[in-house]
Amino acid sequence: MRPNFLKLNHPASWLAQGAVVLLLNSPLVIPQSTAADVAKVYQSSCAACHDHSVFNAPKKGDKVTWDKLKQQKGMPALINSVKGGMTQMPAGGLCENCNEKDFKALIEFMSK
Ligand code: HEC
């Protein structure tokens, strides 16, 4: 016999559905890293500085500079730079909910 809470009309299943809707509507949470999500988080967190090289931030799309950074420092070091912050970059790059996977996706996004 199936347990009662699996039935669709049970309040517990409404709650579960509500949680999924909340997750999908939150701009800073990346449930599955799709290109569109990365672009959104980039816009709300990183673009303020990385779109126009504010404070000399390596610019989005400046492939030469990003390739150099990836080669010289390596991806793990770049992720750590964002996590811990740098001279001019706040820790987390203004994305409080980002994890290492998100930062990696954002860095890949910026280097294109
Ligand atoms: C307030 C401005 C600002 C924001 C917001 C910001 N950055 Fe930066 N970022 C910088 C600056 C400036 C540098 C150049 C290093 C320095 O002087 O701090 C930099 C450097 C970097 C680097 C190179 C690190 C290295 O080791 O050389 C990476 C990677 C990076 N940012 C990623 C991100 C990501 C991802 C986000 C968004 C989640 C972000 N940044 C948001 C300003 C910013």
Side-chain angles (χ1 to χ4, degrees):
M1 206 177 93
R2 291 168 71 200
N4 200 25
F5 64 79
L6 280 180
K7 283 187 188 153
L8 271 181
N9 60 358
H10 190 278
S13 100
W14 301 344
L15 269 182
Q17 286 171 34
V20 170
V21 170
L22 269 181
L23 257 183
L24 292 177
N25 280 332
S26 164
L28 289 178
V29 175
I30 309 186
Q32 302 136 349
S33 282
T34 66
D37 292 329
V38 171
K40 247 195 229 165
V41 177
Y42 171 78
Q43 281 304 333
S44 56
S45 303
C46 323
C49 300
H50 285 274
D51 252 11
H52 301 288
S53 287
V54 176
F55 308 126
N56 268 336
K59 197 173 168 193
K60 169 165 174 23
D62 183 354
K63 198 173 174 320
V64 175
T65 301
W66 282 110
D67 280 352
K68 229 188 259 167
L69 279 173
K70 282 196 232 169
Q71 268 167 24
Q72 286 170 1
K73 295 194 171 181
M75 186 53 91
L78 294 182
I79 292 170
N80 272 332
S81 298
V82 193
K83 260 173 69 181
M86 291 185 81
T87 323
Q88 314 258 32
M89 178 163 58
L94 298 185
C95 182
E96 286 166 19
N97 299 338
C98 283
N99 59 28
E100 293 195 3
K101 231 177 96 198
D102 302 326
F103 287 139
K104 181 168 186 278
L106 286 164
I107 293 169
E108 295 292 358
F109 179 80
M110 275 202 268
S111 36
K112 284 178 198 142

